[in-house]
C-alpha cells in the first residue's frame, strides 16, 4: 500500500482526522512527529509490510478512542516534549492558559507547588521558564509520579516530586499554588468517552468540585502573604469556583479564558488579616 492510500483509508474508512492519520503514520515509520513534509514528498512510496501492520493497529486503536498521545507516546506542552502514557492524563493545550497566568505570579526565585501534577506538565513548564524558582509537585498516583519524574530527568529540570493527598502533610509555604485537579462530575456522560485516561485524574464528587473545595480550604495555610492560588476547572464551573474562593477569604478573585474564550481558570490572592 502507498503512503497516500494508507492515509486516505484511515480517514475515510476509520474516520480519523487527517492530522492524526499523518502523525500515526510517522510514528509507525519511526520518523519524527514534525516530519509531515516528508509524507507529502513520499506519498507514492510503498509501505513495507511491518510498517503497514503497525499503522493499521495504531489507526484502529485511535478510531476506538485511544488518545493520540498514548499511541505516539508523546505530547507537546508549553514547548516541552513530554512522554505520556495511560498512567497519566493526556495534557491539554487549554492548560497552557494556567501556565501563562502562573508565570505572571512566579518571580525568578519564587516558589510554587503544583497539586495533581500527572505527567508533570505544569510543574515542568514553570521550571523551564523560571529555572531559579523552587518548584515542587504532588500527586496521589505513584504511577503518575513515575511518568513525571522520568520527564523531569529527561528534560533536565529539577522539580521535587512527592506522593500525597493534595496538601496533606505539606510543610512548606509558597508564593504560588497551582492545580489542574479532577473536576468532572461522577455521573457526567462525557466520562465514558474519556475511558482511556485514569479515572482518578478526571472525576471528583457529585458536582465535580470535591478536589477544588479541598484545595481551596487547605491552601491558605501554605501560601505566603500575598501569594496566589490558581485553579483550572470545567467550562461551566468558573462562577462556583470564584464563590468558593471568595467564601474562603481570598481577594482579587478572578477568572481567565482559554484560547476558545471559555473561563477555564480561576484564582485569588491570599492576604492574611
Ligand atoms: C486533571 S489531572 C491533571 C494532570 C496534570 N496536572 C495536567 O494538567 O496534565 C489531575 C491529577 O490529579 C491527581 N490527583 C487526583 N486525586 C488526587 C489527590 N487526592 N491528591 C493529589 N493528586 C490527586 C491525579 O492523579 C491526576 O494526575
Amino acid at each position: 500500500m502507498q503512503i497516500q492510500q494508507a492515509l486516505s483509508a484511515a480517514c475515510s474508512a476509520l474516520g480519523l482526522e487527517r492530522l492524526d492519520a499523518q502523525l500515526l503514520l510517522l510514528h509507525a515509520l519511526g520518523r519524527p512527529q514534525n516530519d509531515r513534509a516528508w509524507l507529502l514528498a513520499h506519498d507514492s512510496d510503498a509501505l513495507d509490510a511491518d510498517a503497514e501492520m503497525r499503522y493499521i493497529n495504531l489507526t484502529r486503536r485511535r478510531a476506538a478512542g485511544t488518545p493520540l498521545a498514548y499511541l505516539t507516546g508523546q505530547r507537546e506542552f508549553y514547548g516541552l516534549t513530554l512522554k505520556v502514557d495511560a498512567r497519566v492524563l493526556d495534557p491539554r493545550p487549554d492548560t497552557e492558559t494556567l501556565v501563562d497566568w502562573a508565570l505572571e505570579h512566579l518571580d525568578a526565585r519564587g516558589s510554587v507547588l503544583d497539586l495533581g501534577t500527572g505527567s508533570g506538565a505544569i510543574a515542568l513548564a514553570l521550571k523551564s521558564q523560571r529555572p531559579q524558582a523552587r518548584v515542587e509537585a504532588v500527586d496521589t498516583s505513584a504511577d503518575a509520579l513515575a511518568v513525571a519524574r522520568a520527564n523531569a530527568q529527561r528534560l533536565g529540570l529539577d522539580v521535587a516530586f512527592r506522593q500525597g493527598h493534595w496538601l496533606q502533610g505539606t510543610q512548606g509555604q509558597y508564593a504560588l499554588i497551582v492545580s489542574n485537579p479532577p473536576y468532572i462530575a461522577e455521573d457526567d456522560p462525557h466520562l465514558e468517552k474519556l475511558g482511556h485516561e485514569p479515572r482518578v485524574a478526571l472525576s471528583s464528587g457529585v458536582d465535580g468540585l470535591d478536589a477544588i473545595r479541598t484545595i481551596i480550604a487547605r491552601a491558605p495555610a501554605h501560601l505566603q502573604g500575598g501569594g496566589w492560588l490558581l485553579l483550572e476547572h470545567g467550562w461551566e464551573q468558573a462562577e462556583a469556583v470564584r464563590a468558593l474562593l471568595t467564601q474562603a477569604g481570598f481577594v482579587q478573585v478572578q477568572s481567565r479564558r482559554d484560547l476558545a474564550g471559555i473561563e477555564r481558570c480561576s484564582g485569588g490572592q491570599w492576604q492574611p488579616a
Side-chain angles (χ1 to χ4, degrees), residues 53-259:
M53 277 311 292
R54 278 196 299 276
Y55 187 57
I56 289 170
N57 183 0
L58 287 165
T59 51
R60 285 192 181 146
R61 289 170 64 199
R62 180 72 192 111
T66 304
L68 180 73
Y70 291 173
L71 297 172
T72 60
Q74 65 185 55
R75 161 67 69 193
E76 293 298 313
F77 184 83
Y78 222 86
L80 303 175
T81 302
L82 301 172
K83 298 280 183 197
V84 296
D85 59 37
R87 292 174 290 175
V88 292
L89 185 94
D90 173 14
R92 310 296 204 262
D94 294 336
T95 302
E96 295 186 345
T97 303
L98 184 66
V99 175
D100 283 338
W101 194 6
L103 287 170
E104 292 173 25
H105 295 291
L106 184 58
D107 294 338
R109 293 180 182 276
S111 54
V112 56
L113 177 63
D114 172 24
L115 295 172
T117 196
S119 62
I122 298 169
L124 293 169
L126 293 175
K127 186 69 182 178
S128 72
Q129 300 294 312
R130 296 282 185 274
Q132 305 297 319
R134 173 165 62 95
V135 182
E136 298 178 20
V138 170
D139 206 289
T140 192
S141 158
D143 277 349
L145 287 168
V147 175
R149 286 192 176 109
N151 276 321
Q153 192 169 22
R154 199 172 36 78
L155 295 165
L157 294 168
D158 181 16
V159 171
F161 293 101
R162 65 174 181 276
Q163 193 169 14
H165 178 79
W166 303 131
L167 285 148
Q168 235 174 47
T170 296
Q171 303 294 333
Q173 295 239 319
Y174 304 86
L176 179 63
I177 296 177
V178 294
S179 184
N180 173 20
Y183 51 68
I184 302 176
E186 270 163 12
D187 63 353
D188 189 316
H190 294 103
L191 277 175
E192 206 178 317
K193 269 193 174 170
L194 301 170
H196 295 268
E197 296 181 271
R199 186 75 175 219
V200 67
L202 297 169
S203 73
S204 189
V206 287
D207 62 357
L209 291 170
D210 278 8
I212 285 176
R213 278 192 203 90
T214 301
I215 293 168
I216 290 175
R218 295 193 180 147
H222 299 283
L223 280 170
Q224 297 164 1
W228 284 79
L229 171 64
L230 306 179
L231 299 162
E232 181 171 324
H233 49 67
W235 63 274
E236 80 296 36
Q237 292 172 333
E239 200 180 331
V241 176
R242 285 195 301 267
L244 288 167
L245 286 161
T246 304
Q247 283 158 22
F250 283 85
V251 296
Q252 292 209 56
V253 170
Q254 55 196 278
S255 297
R256 284 288 166 99
R257 294 179 191 275
D258 64 16
L259 295 171

